[in-house]
Amino acid sequence: MFSVRNGWLFVEDVSIKELVESYGTPLYVTSRSTLERNIKAYKDAFKDAKLLYAVKANNNLSILRIISANGFGADVFSGGELYIALLADFPKEYILFNGNSKSDEEIRMGVRSGVAFSVDSIDELYTLSETAILEDSEVRIAFRVNPEIDAKTHPKIATALRTSKFGIPWEGIVDIYRTAYELPGVEPCGIHCHIGSQITDISPFVEALEKMFQIAKQVEEIGVELEFIDIGGGLGIDYEGKGAPTPAQLAEKLLPVFENGLSELKSDPELWLEPGRSIVGDTTVLLTKVNAVKKSYKNFVAVDAGFNLLLRPAMYNAYHRIAVANKMDREGEEVYTIVGPICESGDILGEDRKLPKVEKGDIIAIFDAGAYGFAMSSQYNGRTRCAEVLVEGSHHYLTREAESYGDLIVKQRIPEHLL
Ligand code: LLP
């Protein structure tokens, strides 16, 4: 939880001043109590469903340990995420290996780990079957269905449009289940979809679930016994203070559709959900120091974090609330555009924000940075990734060290003749 005391932003009972003095800037800071509040909201709302946290949103191991200790499974989208999820102790029966372009090596790794797969193509199905036979195992699978639903979100994060690269078009899916049912090494037992991210209207989720049940009925006729129907992630959060649905509101609309759908099935599948952003998004603030304030075409505030550390504003025009963490009790005085240190004109973190008078050395807080923040960071422009810290009450813990310049070149090799 975040609060203001004596003009300073606090994360739980720790002042930003203390954090910046201890770890420097830029710095990602996560509030454990906020994370636990979000986890509880989902667990309370979806008591009989299985929650699989989307590791792509934030793969900090300490955060993952808290989530896995709360009984979550995991949605992973790569061999790397699978590796991290296993390290964080997510139970393998509730790890779903998603991905539209898995390599043969990743498929082998998934089969050996004993996790379930969401299969995104016929090519993947055959590779999976062959691999499972070679490894002498049987893999539980779902197909990633494209239900063709416009989730009314940013086009770059709508994932179930007809034009989307993800999933298998729903029209042909039953035949593919039939093929899978007859193939050795794979056991079709689930149906999966994911319609997009940062969705703030519940109706597309309902529409998707209804479509999943239409498919489920036909798939059962083949003989498939369904263990799960996975509706993906995607619940949005309130970046702009305009409101966003809660897990309880999502459950209120989805669960009756699920119960009703179940009554028409022979098998008794679990409902699976894969929330990412709504678990970690608002738990974390990115702290960045002002290097310079400049009046030119606009009032520019140049800070030490840019799209190397928070890509969302540059990539999706995303809005993140911004405040001066050491002047929280002062009124907005001037309009500033907050820019990062990257050599690109698009390196803008917030445009035309009314803030108290900003000066060199001030600490800027960028809120709601816990989802797809650090996870999408890069070393572009020779910028090292910053540290991450977890706050628990009045304690704070370093959960990821800042990179050093050596980390920029650690994997580079120079051929002998260039030495
Ligand atoms: N499951 C699957 C299969 C997904 O592809 C995703 C997100 C999720 C679950 C989690 O969705 P969430 O609950 O976090 O909305 N980088 C973008 C978001 C990309 C989301 C990709 N898939 C952003 O910063 O807005």
Side-chain angles (χ1 to χ4, degrees), residues 62-127:
S62 307
I63 291 177
L64 295 183
R65 299 277 298 183
I66 294 169
I67 298 173
S68 70
N70 270 282
F72 276 56
D75 141 42
V76 299
F77 215 81
S78 65
E81 285 186 0
L82 173 57
Y83 169 79
I84 295 171
L86 290 168
L87 267 184
D89 271 348
F90 287 98
K92 60 182 188 337
E93 321 78 80
Y94 284 111
I95 294 179
L96 186 67
F97 197 166
N98 286 306
N100 65 302
S101 181
K102 303 180 187 85
S103 69
D104 293 353
E105 291 71 30
E106 286 178 308
I107 289 178
R108 195 173 322 117
M109 176 184 178
V111 171
R112 286 186 182 165
S113 314
V115 299
F117 275 70
S118 171
V119 179
D120 195 280
S121 65
I122 309 277
D123 277 344
E124 183 185 340
L125 174 65
Y126 284 117
T127 310

Side-chain angles (χ1 to χ4, degrees), residues 2 28-31 34-39 42 53-60 63-64 66-67 72 235 237 239 275-285 367-373 375:
F2 301 85
Y28 269 100
V29 183
T30 297
S31 152
T34 311
L35 176 63
E36 282 175 338
R37 183 204 59 194
N38 295 346
I39 290 171
Y42 265 100
Y53 168 68
V55 173
K56 60 180 79 69
N58 187 323
N59 67 22
N60 177 289
I63 291 177
L64 295 183
I66 294 169
I67 298 173
F72 276 56
L235 194 62
I237 64 169
Y239 287 108
R277 188 192 311 270
S278 46
I279 297 287
V280 287
D282 66 355
T283 63
T284 301
V285 66
F367 291 93
D368 304 320
Y372 310 107

Side-chain angles (χ1 to χ4, degrees), residues 178-346:
R178 194 170 292 115
T179 308
Y181 188 64
E182 280 155 17
L183 268 187
V186 291
E187 187 205 341
C189 64
I191 305 182
H192 177 226
C193 73
H194 173 77
I195 58 174
S197 194
Q198 187 51 24
I199 302 169
T200 49
D201 173 7
I202 289 176
S203 56
F205 291 109
V206 172
E207 211 187 314
L209 187 57
E210 283 167 349
K211 220 156 196 173
M212 292 300 101
F213 272 106
Q214 285 170 23
I215 294 165
K217 272 188 264 172
Q218 298 174 54
V219 162
E220 274 195 340
E221 278 163 26
I222 301 167
V224 169
E225 213 172 297
L226 287 170
E227 253 180 58
F228 62 90
I229 294 182
D230 183 341
I231 196 76
L235 194 62
I237 64 169
D238 188 11
Y239 287 108
E240 299 186 48
K242 292 181 183 161
T246 60
Q249 287 165 333
L250 179 65
E252 193 188 312
K253 290 280 185 313
L254 273 190
L255 293 182
V257 177
F258 188 75
E259 291 308 322
N260 188 39
L262 271 192
S263 66
E264 294 177 23
L265 293 185
K266 293 191 231 57
S267 41
D268 189 24
E270 278 181 306
L271 173 64
W272 287 13
L273 290 106
E274 301 172 348
R277 188 192 311 270
S278 46
I279 297 287
V280 287
D282 66 355
T283 63
T284 301
V285 66
L286 171 58
L287 303 177
T288 175
K289 193 160 73 192
V290 176
N291 282 330
V293 183
K294 181 168 69 180
K295 213 178 182 81
S296 60
Y297 168 65
K298 281 184 170 185
N299 281 329
F300 287 114
V301 172
V303 296
D304 60 5
F307 76 52
N308 54 315
L309 290 176
L310 184 65
L311 186 58
R312 303 195 68 260
M315 181 122 169
Y316 315 109
N317 246 333
Y319 182 95
H320 284 257
R321 283 178 297 125
I322 288 178
V324 185
N326 53 311
K327 296 177 177 169
M328 295 298 286
D329 52 355
R330 301 204 202 156
E331 293 290 309
E333 262 180 62
E334 279 200 61
V335 173
Y336 297 96
T337 289
I338 297 85
V339 296
I342 300 299
C343 185
E344 301 235 10
S345 301

